[in-house]
Structure formats: C-alpha cells, structure tokens
Amino acid sequence: MTAVDARPESPATLRFPEGFRWGTATAAYQIEGAATEDGRTPSIWDTFSRTPGKVRNGDTGDIAADHYHRVREDVALMRELGVTDYRFSVAWPRVQPTGRGPALQKGLDFYRRLCDELRDAGIRPVATLYHWDLPQELEDAGGWPRRETAARFAEYAGLVADGLGDRVATWTTLNEPWCAAFLGYGNGVHAPGRTDDAAALRAAHHLNLAHGWAVGALREKLPAGTEVSLTLNLHVVRALTESAEDRDAARRIDAVANRVFLDPVFRGRLPEDLVRDTAGVTDWGFVQDGDLAAIAAPIDSLGLNYYSPTVVAAGSSESPSPWAGAERHVRFLPAPGPRTAMDWPVDADGLYELLVRLRDELPEVPLVITENGAAYDDYADPSGQVRDPERVAYLHGHLAAVRRAVEDGADVRGYFLWSLLDNFEWAFGYSKRFGIVHVDFASQRRTLKDSARWYADVIARGGLPS
C-alpha cells in the first residue's frame, strides 16, 4: 500500500461536477534543467538569471528539478496522485533554438516522450506554448515590443503543433502575458529586465497579437475538436474605500491589469479608458488595421491563474512600476489576513469574485483554474516527512471557493494545482517552495508532502472532505 492509498475514509464529500479535470502544473524553465543539452540555446531567463543581482543567490535554471532526465519518475508521481491532467510548457529555445527556422527534432522528441508517458499513465497532456522563455536572439532583435516577435511565435506554434498535434489534448498559447509584458519590460523584475512603460504596452499588444495569430496556426494544424486556450493572471482589484477617487484607482489598475487582455481577446477592441489613461506614455500607433480582429479569434476556454487580491487607493507609487503610468494615480496597500512565504495574502474569496465576474461578463466561455497554490517554508523532518498544513488549508479554502462559484453558475471545468514540484521560482530562485512534492535540489530526491496526499484524496473522492 502506498502513502497515497492509505487515506482515511470520510462520511461526506463536497463533490465537483462529473468530468471535472483535476490537474497539476509546471513550467519548462522552472523544472527541466538540461539548459545546454540537445541543441537548446539560451532564453531570456538564462541571460537574466546570470545577470548579477537579478535572481536571489545567483540561482539559475541550469539544473532546476532535472525533469529533463526524470520524466518517467515524475509521471509516476502524477499517476500515484491520480491526476487526470498535467499542464506543462514547451521551451521555445529547445524546439526552435533561435526563434527562427525549422524545428529541432531532439527538442520535440523530449516532449513526445513526456506526452507518451502521460498518456500511458492515463493523464491528459495540456501544453502551454509560451511560459516566458523567449529565445535570447529574438530579444536581441527587439523582443516583445517588436511586432516581428508575434509573427515568429505564430510560426513556432505551427511547428509544435506539427510535432505534437497527435498527442496533446489542450493547447494554451500564452501563460500570463501580463507578467511577460509588465514585469519583463515595465518594472524589470522579470526577464529581460527592461524598464520602459511604452515598451511594456507595445509588448502587451504584440503578445495579444501573437496569441491571435497562434490560434490561427493551431487551428490550421490540429485535428478538429482540439481545445485551444489562453491563460491570464487576472487581478482581483479592490478599492480601499467607496470614494470616487479610490474607485477610479481600481478602474485604472483593472484596465492595465485585466482589460488590456480581456477586451481585445473577447471583444475585439482596446479599452477606451486605458488608451486615455496611457496617452502620456504612448499613442497606440503600433496597433495596425486587422490586429484586433486577429486577436479576437475564438478560443475554447479561458485559463485563470489566481493567488491573491490587490488593494488600491488614490495616491501615487514609486517608479519604475509594472502599471504603465498608473503609478502616478494609484497606491497599493497590503490586504489583510495571513500571508504565504511569498508575503502574499491568503484570500480565497478573491477567487470566487473572479469566477463570478467572468460568469457575468463572459458567460459563453468555459473556465479552467490553470494555477492556484502557495509557497511555504517546507522541510523534511527527521522522519523524512514534509508536513505542510498551511498549504492544505490554503488549497481547501480555494477549492471550496471554486465549488461555491460552480454552484452559483460559473462554468468551471477544471483545477490545476501549482505546482507539482518545488522548482526555480523566477527572481526568488530556489528560496520559495510551491510544490506538493518536495525536491531536495542537491540529490534531486522527490518526497510527497502531506498536501500531495491530501490532493490525491480530493481527486479520488471527486471533491472536498466536508
């Protein structure tokens, strides 16, 4: 009997809908390692992590969780947990090393092996085409602020669809384009580390355009009925008070955090207030005829990543910020309540609010929680166990919020826990642990945390223990 099998019986379960997808998620640069093997070339995160002062402790993703060499072991863990779906990302520089030209078959072979292992284990492969690892050569040519990068991405999407189209069940074009645009080019805390509000807004548009063009490339290559999606980290923005000034601060952040993506993708237009708010930064002249129609290509579902809410009031914040001009009108305040190791507030009601908002604004679009989870200061105790009751409580609260939203009419089709493995947590390096599987990075030993056993029980029940 395995540790996962040894779960207590419970008399009552708060069940989720039949067919609900129970998954977990990772990203290529955070877990794969093998940074120079089989033809892979540097991404912007390889360069950024080698830039002094950018990543805590000078950590890099060179080895990470060594998933490139441990696919079979990691898929076996997923099978043990009973997940129905696994969301992974394809490393652009592993498949198309310079961002141009033909696909590198050795790179595609790695993802073929991964998908085959998953399917043999009865797990649906869910592929994300872009989780922030832009080939460095494309950044050197201008990066996402340059329109040509969107064209290169559409070509890359077609290459991956050619190579994996018979294996992948769901395709996600982009993961969190807000982070790629505004953390990468606005305040520079993510790769490539540029600080230019105008460049951030151009990047946001070109990421939207890359998404739309990639949807077209995928539809052309993939079998009919294959699910095509997009994942956004939509912000739950709360005004500190009901004053007109504070509500206007929330409106400004909602425009540059949420509607900069939602309106072009689902309504084929730019938010008029965002264009007004950012007139001092850019005239939006980079938006060409036909762009918005391309961006609004229909998709089959919307992925949502949620961790915590944002509280704002009228005032001003320090620059550089990721808010493209809004920092002159908005100040940010800490939300109340307990905190994770990231110092993020724990607030499951925010996830409910987000799902209900989208129920009302996009009633025809199925929703999937593509990331939700928490970092805590986990460690293996002398018996070798990893006790993480805070994470269990966090996950229980957020899954309960999802279930409440479903009961109230939100069309939520699945939940992907972030993350399967402890990994390279971007600018925090290896100092933050989000996994439900503990990784000893020196030995690469994997250990199921208590939260992994808890999640396995939830999956087996089809819902939460009441």
Side-chain angles (χ1 to χ4, degrees):
M1 179 180 288
T2 68
V4 172
D5 291 328
R7 51 181 175 263
E9 292 297 322
S10 176
T13 298
L14 303 175
R15 296 198 177 278
F16 280 67
E18 192 72 26
F20 193 81
R21 292 155 58 182
W22 296 101
T24 187
T26 64
Y29 190 73
Q30 293 183 272
I31 68 164
E32 283 182 4
T36 60
E37 290 188 36
D38 294 332
R40 183 189 180 280
T41 55
S43 73
I44 54 176
W45 270 97
D46 293 279
T47 302
F48 187 78
S49 64
R50 284 172 168 72
T51 304
K54 296 297 186 181
V55 175
R56 188 170 296 183
N57 302 320
D59 292 339
T60 74
D62 285 0
I63 299 173
D66 198 33
H67 175 70
Y68 193 77
H69 300 113
R70 298 171 185 268
V71 164
R72 182 165 294 177
E73 176 185 357
D74 291 339
V75 173
L77 285 171
M78 292 182 240
R79 186 205 295 262
E80 188 177 359
L81 295 175
V83 299
T84 64
D85 293 62
Y86 173 56
R87 178 176 176 253
F88 63 94
S89 77
V90 177
W92 191 347
R94 194 179 295 288
V95 168
Q96 194 188 36
T98 65
R100 301 174 186 276
L104 185 65
Q105 291 304 311
K106 285 185 177 180
L108 286 174
D109 284 345
F110 167 70
Y111 296 106
R112 291 184 182 114
R113 291 194 303 274
L114 170 61
C115 290
D116 289 347
E117 288 284 341
L118 290 167
R119 299 201 313 168
D120 287 347
I123 299 169
R124 295 174 75 254
V126 177
T128 299
L129 287 168
Y130 187 72
H131 200 130
W132 309 349
D133 44 9
L134 184 71
Q136 183 61 44
E137 289 196 24
L138 291 185
E139 173 59 26
D140 293 342
W144 285 112
R146 184 169 181 251
R147 185 181 184 86
E148 176 68 13
T149 305
R152 299 279 63 78
F153 180 74
E155 177 188 72
Y156 155 71
L159 292 174
V160 182
D162 273 339
L164 302 177
D166 60 340
R167 290 169 165 86
V168 171
T170 299
W171 295 78
T172 301
T173 54
L174 307 174
N175 177 78
E176 298 187 354
W178 184 86
C179 293
F182 294 101
L183 300 185
Y185 296 92
N187 69 351
V189 301
H190 277 192
R194 290 160 63 177
T195 53
D196 181 339
D197 283 348
L201 291 168
R202 288 198 306 274
H205 175 67
H206 293 144
L207 282 155
N208 278 338
L209 189 59
H211 158 73
W213 284 347
V215 170
L218 292 171
R219 299 287 191 207
E220 203 173 286
K221 303 280 187 179
L222 297 174
T226 305
E227 184 179 3
V228 176
S229 187
L230 166 71
T231 282
L232 301 176
N233 60 312
L234 297 177
H235 293 63
V236 175
V237 186
R238 296 171 177 163
L240 180 63
T241 73
E242 286 300 309
S243 72
E245 295 81 7
D246 285 357
R247 284 189 285 110
D248 187 64
R251 178 200 60 76
R252 287 176 180 273
I253 298 305
D254 184 63
V256 77
N258 297 333
R259 289 181 285 114
V260 66
F261 301 108
L262 289 173
D263 280 15
V265 170
F266 293 104
R267 300 181 177 91
R269 69 190 187 207
L270 290 171
E272 293 180 2
D273 59 332
L274 175 65
V275 174
R276 289 195 304 270
D277 290 346
T278 57
V281 178
T282 180
D283 63 3
W284 293 85
F286 45 82
V287 179
Q288 298 185 14
D289 289 346
D291 283 3
L292 292 167
I295 292 166
I299 57 176
D300 303 305
S301 63
L302 175 62
L304 303 172
N305 295 355
Y306 172 83
Y307 292 95
S308 59
T310 300
V311 180
V312 300
S316 62
S317 302
E318 295 181 2
S319 291
S321 90
W323 302 107
E327 68 274 357
R328 294 189 295 274
H329 306 275
V330 180
R331 60 191 175 99
F332 295 83
L333 299 102
R339 325 290 283 190
T340 70
M342 298 289 288
D343 199 32
W344 296 347
V346 177
D347 190 330
D349 287 341
L351 180 53
Y352 174 83
E353 291 172 32
L354 176 60
L355 293 172
V356 169
R357 171 184 175 172
L358 294 170
R359 175 203 66 189
D360 296 341
E361 294 185 5
L362 302 172
E364 73 286 359
V365 181
L367 308 173
V368 178
I369 309 303
T370 40
E371 286 185 28
N372 177 241
Y376 289 101
D377 295 324
D378 308 319
Y379 61 91
D381 68 20
S383 71
Q385 300 297 307
V386 182
R387 312 292 186 188
D388 57 343
E390 301 94 345
R391 181 175 291 105
V392 170
Y394 178 101
L395 296 172
H396 193 289
H398 285 75
L399 275 168
V402 174
R403 185 178 181 277
R404 181 158 59 103
V406 170
E407 287 184 327
D408 289 345
D411 185 8
V412 186
R413 304 285 180 89
Y415 177 92
F416 288 73
L417 192 158
W418 185 270
S419 176
L420 175 67
L421 303 171
D422 289 337
N423 54 42
F424 175 87
E425 184 48 42
W426 307 115
F428 291 92
Y430 296 100
S431 68
K432 305 298 181 186
R433 293 181 176 270
F434 273 90
I436 55 172
V437 177
H438 182 273
V439 178
D440 181 309
F441 292 106
S443 67
Q444 291 297 337
R445 179 178 178 180
R446 276 83 160 127
T447 303
L448 294 177
K449 302 178 186 180
D450 283 357
S451 57
R453 298 183 176 89
W454 178 87
Y455 192 46
D457 180 56
V458 169
I459 296 168
R461 294 170 182 271
L464 291 169
S466 62

Short mmCIF file of all heavy atoms in Angstrom, two decimals, residues 277-305:
data_model
loop_
_atom_site.label_atom_id
_atom_site.label_comp_id
_atom_site.label_asym_id
_atom_site.label_seq_id
_atom_site.Cartn_x
_atom_site.Cartn_y
_atom_site.Cartn_z
N ASP A 277 -5.91 56.78 -20.37
CA ASP A 277 -5.02 56.79 -19.20
C ASP A 277 -3.55 56.81 -19.61
O ASP A 277 -2.71 57.36 -18.89
CB ASP A 277 -5.27 55.56 -18.31
CG ASP A 277 -6.61 55.59 -17.59
OD1 ASP A 277 -7.25 56.65 -17.56
OD2 ASP A 277 -7.01 54.52 -17.08
N THR A 278 -3.23 56.15 -20.70
CA THR A 278 -1.83 55.98 -21.10
C THR A 278 -1.42 56.91 -22.23
O THR A 278 -0.36 56.72 -22.84
CB THR A 278 -1.57 54.52 -21.52
OG1 THR A 278 -2.46 54.17 -22.58
CG2 THR A 278 -1.76 53.57 -20.34
N ALA A 279 -2.23 57.94 -22.52
CA ALA A 279 -1.92 58.85 -23.62
C ALA A 279 -0.57 59.54 -23.43
O ALA A 279 0.11 59.89 -24.40
CB ALA A 279 -3.04 59.89 -23.77
N GLY A 280 -0.17 59.74 -22.20
CA GLY A 280 1.13 60.36 -21.93
C GLY A 280 2.30 59.40 -22.11
O GLY A 280 3.46 59.82 -22.07
N VAL A 281 2.00 58.11 -22.30
CA VAL A 281 3.04 57.10 -22.47
C VAL A 281 3.17 56.69 -23.93
O VAL A 281 4.26 56.55 -24.46
CB VAL A 281 2.71 55.85 -21.61
CG1 VAL A 281 3.76 54.75 -21.82
CG2 VAL A 281 2.61 56.23 -20.14
N THR A 282 2.01 56.52 -24.61
CA THR A 282 2.02 56.07 -26.00
C THR A 282 0.73 56.50 -26.67
O THR A 282 -0.29 56.71 -26.01
CB THR A 282 2.14 54.54 -26.09
OG1 THR A 282 2.14 54.15 -27.46
CG2 THR A 282 0.98 53.84 -25.39
N ASP A 283 0.79 56.63 -28.00
CA ASP A 283 -0.42 56.94 -28.76
C ASP A 283 -1.06 55.68 -29.35
O ASP A 283 -2.03 55.75 -30.10
CB ASP A 283 -0.12 57.94 -29.88
CG ASP A 283 0.86 57.38 -30.92
OD1 ASP A 283 1.27 56.20 -30.80
OD2 ASP A 283 1.23 58.13 -31.84
N TRP A 284 -0.53 54.50 -29.03
CA TRP A 284 -1.05 53.22 -29.51
C TRP A 284 -0.99 53.10 -31.03
O TRP A 284 -1.72 52.32 -31.63
CB TRP A 284 -2.48 52.95 -28.99
CG TRP A 284 -2.52 52.76 -27.52
CD1 TRP A 284 -2.59 53.72 -26.55
CD2 TRP A 284 -2.48 51.51 -26.81
NE1 TRP A 284 -2.60 53.16 -25.29
CE2 TRP A 284 -2.52 51.81 -25.42
CE3 TRP A 284 -2.40 50.18 -27.21
CZ2 TRP A 284 -2.49 50.82 -24.43
CZ3 TRP A 284 -2.38 49.20 -26.23
CH2 TRP A 284 -2.43 49.52 -24.85
N GLY A 285 -0.07 53.85 -31.64
CA GLY A 285 0.07 53.81 -33.08
C GLY A 285 0.59 52.49 -33.61
O GLY A 285 0.54 52.24 -34.82
N PHE A 286 1.07 51.65 -32.72
CA PHE A 286 1.58 50.34 -33.14
C PHE A 286 0.44 49.34 -33.42
O PHE A 286 0.68 48.25 -33.92
CB PHE A 286 2.51 49.75 -32.07
CG PHE A 286 1.99 49.86 -30.67
CD1 PHE A 286 1.08 48.95 -30.16
CD2 PHE A 286 2.41 50.90 -29.84
CE1 PHE A 286 0.59 49.06 -28.87
CE2 PHE A 286 1.92 51.02 -28.54
CZ PHE A 286 1.01 50.09 -28.06
N VAL A 287 -0.80 49.70 -33.09
CA VAL A 287 -1.94 48.83 -33.39
C VAL A 287 -2.33 49.06 -34.85
O VAL A 287 -2.75 50.15 -35.23
CB VAL A 287 -3.13 49.12 -32.46
CG1 VAL A 287 -4.31 48.22 -32.80
CG2 VAL A 287 -2.72 48.94 -31.01
N GLN A 288 -2.22 48.04 -35.66
CA GLN A 288 -2.47 48.16 -37.10
C GLN A 288 -3.85 47.62 -37.46
O GLN A 288 -4.47 46.86 -36.71
CB GLN A 288 -1.39 47.42 -37.89
CG GLN A 288 0.01 47.98 -37.67
CD GLN A 288 1.04 47.30 -38.55
OE1 GLN A 288 0.72 46.60 -39.50
NE2 GLN A 288 2.32 47.52 -38.24
N ASP A 289 -4.31 48.02 -38.66
CA ASP A 289 -5.59 47.52 -39.15
C ASP A 289 -5.57 45.99 -39.19
O ASP A 289 -4.62 45.38 -39.66
CB ASP A 289 -5.86 48.05 -40.56
CG ASP A 289 -6.17 49.54 -40.58
OD1 ASP A 289 -6.44 50.09 -39.50
OD2 ASP A 289 -6.12 50.14 -41.67
N GLY A 290 -6.63 45.40 -38.70
CA GLY A 290 -6.74 43.95 -38.70
C GLY A 290 -6.21 43.27 -37.45
O GLY A 290 -6.51 42.08 -37.21
N ASP A 291 -5.43 43.99 -36.63
CA ASP A 291 -4.86 43.38 -35.43
C ASP A 291 -5.93 42.88 -34.48
O ASP A 291 -5.88 41.75 -33.97
CB ASP A 291 -3.95 44.36 -34.70
CG ASP A 291 -2.60 44.55 -35.36
OD1 ASP A 291 -2.37 43.95 -36.43
OD2 ASP A 291 -1.76 45.28 -34.79
N LEU A 292 -6.90 43.74 -34.18
CA LEU A 292 -7.88 43.39 -33.16
C LEU A 292 -8.78 42.24 -33.61
O LEU A 292 -9.17 41.39 -32.80
CB LEU A 292 -8.70 44.62 -32.77
CG LEU A 292 -7.87 45.68 -32.02
CD1 LEU A 292 -8.62 46.99 -31.94
CD2 LEU A 292 -7.48 45.19 -30.64
N ALA A 293 -9.07 42.19 -34.89
CA ALA A 293 -9.85 41.05 -35.40
C ALA A 293 -9.06 39.76 -35.26
O ALA A 293 -9.61 38.71 -34.91
CB ALA A 293 -10.23 41.29 -36.86
N ALA A 294 -7.75 39.82 -35.52
CA ALA A 294 -6.91 38.62 -35.38
C ALA A 294 -6.82 38.18 -33.92
O ALA A 294 -6.88 36.99 -33.61
CB ALA A 294 -5.51 38.89 -35.94
N ILE A 295 -6.69 39.15 -33.02
CA ILE A 295 -6.57 38.83 -31.60
C ILE A 295 -7.84 38.16 -31.09
O ILE A 295 -7.78 37.29 -30.20
CB ILE A 295 -6.27 40.12 -30.80
CG1 ILE A 295 -4.87 40.64 -31.14
CG2 ILE A 295 -6.40 39.88 -29.29
CD1 ILE A 295 -4.61 42.06 -30.67
N ALA A 296 -8.98 38.54 -31.65
CA ALA A 296 -10.27 38.04 -31.16
C ALA A 296 -10.66 36.69 -31.78
O ALA A 296 -11.83 36.29 -31.70
CB ALA A 296 -11.36 39.07 -31.43
N ALA A 297 -9.70 35.97 -32.35
CA ALA A 297 -10.00 34.63 -32.87
C ALA A 297 -10.62 33.78 -31.76
O ALA A 297 -10.09 33.74 -30.64
CB ALA A 297 -8.73 33.98 -33.39
N PRO A 298 -11.73 33.11 -32.02
CA PRO A 298 -12.42 32.37 -30.95
C PRO A 298 -11.53 31.29 -30.32
O PRO A 298 -10.77 30.61 -31.02
CB PRO A 298 -13.62 31.74 -31.67
CG PRO A 298 -13.84 32.59 -32.87
CD PRO A 298 -12.47 33.05 -33.29
N ILE A 299 -11.65 31.14 -29.01
CA ILE A 299 -10.97 30.07 -28.28
C ILE A 299 -12.00 29.25 -27.54
O ILE A 299 -13.16 29.64 -27.40
CB ILE A 299 -9.89 30.62 -27.32
CG1 ILE A 299 -10.47 31.62 -26.32
CG2 ILE A 299 -8.74 31.25 -28.10
CD1 ILE A 299 -9.47 32.13 -25.29
N ASP A 300 -11.56 28.08 -27.06
CA ASP A 300 -12.49 27.11 -26.48
C ASP A 300 -12.63 27.23 -24.97
O ASP A 300 -13.60 26.70 -24.40
CB ASP A 300 -12.03 25.69 -26.83
CG ASP A 300 -11.93 25.51 -28.34
OD1 ASP A 300 -12.94 25.75 -29.02
OD2 ASP A 300 -10.85 25.14 -28.83
N SER A 301 -11.67 27.85 -24.31
CA SER A 301 -11.73 28.02 -22.86
C SER A 301 -10.76 29.11 -22.46
O SER A 301 -9.88 29.49 -23.25
CB SER A 301 -11.39 26.71 -22.13
OG SER A 301 -10.04 26.33 -22.41
N LEU A 302 -10.92 29.60 -21.25
CA LEU A 302 -10.01 30.60 -20.70
C LEU A 302 -9.40 30.03 -19.42
O LEU A 302 -10.12 29.62 -18.51
CB LEU A 302 -10.74 31.90 -20.38
CG LEU A 302 -9.93 32.99 -19.68
CD1 LEU A 302 -8.77 33.45 -20.55
CD2 LEU A 302 -10.82 34.17 -19.30
N GLY A 303 -8.06 30.00 -19.36
CA GLY A 303 -7.36 29.60 -18.15
C GLY A 303 -7.15 30.79 -17.23
O GLY A 303 -6.84 31.89 -17.68
N LEU A 304 -7.31 30.55 -15.94
CA LEU A 304 -7.16 31.61 -14.93
C LEU A 304 -6.13 31.20 -13.90
O LEU A 304 -6.21 30.09 -13.35
CB LEU A 304 -8.49 31.86 -14.23
CG LEU A 304 -9.68 32.22 -15.11
CD1 LEU A 304 -10.95 32.24 -14.28
CD2 LEU A 304 -9.45 33.57 -15.77
N ASN A 305 -5.18 32.07 -13.64
CA ASN A 305 -4.22 31.88 -12.55
C ASN A 305 -4.56 32.87 -11.44
O ASN A 305 -4.64 34.07 -11.69
CB ASN A 305 -2.78 32.11 -13.02
CG ASN A 305 -2.33 31.09 -14.05
OD1 ASN A 305 -3.04 30.14 -14.35
ND2 ASN A 305 -1.13 31.28 -14.58
#
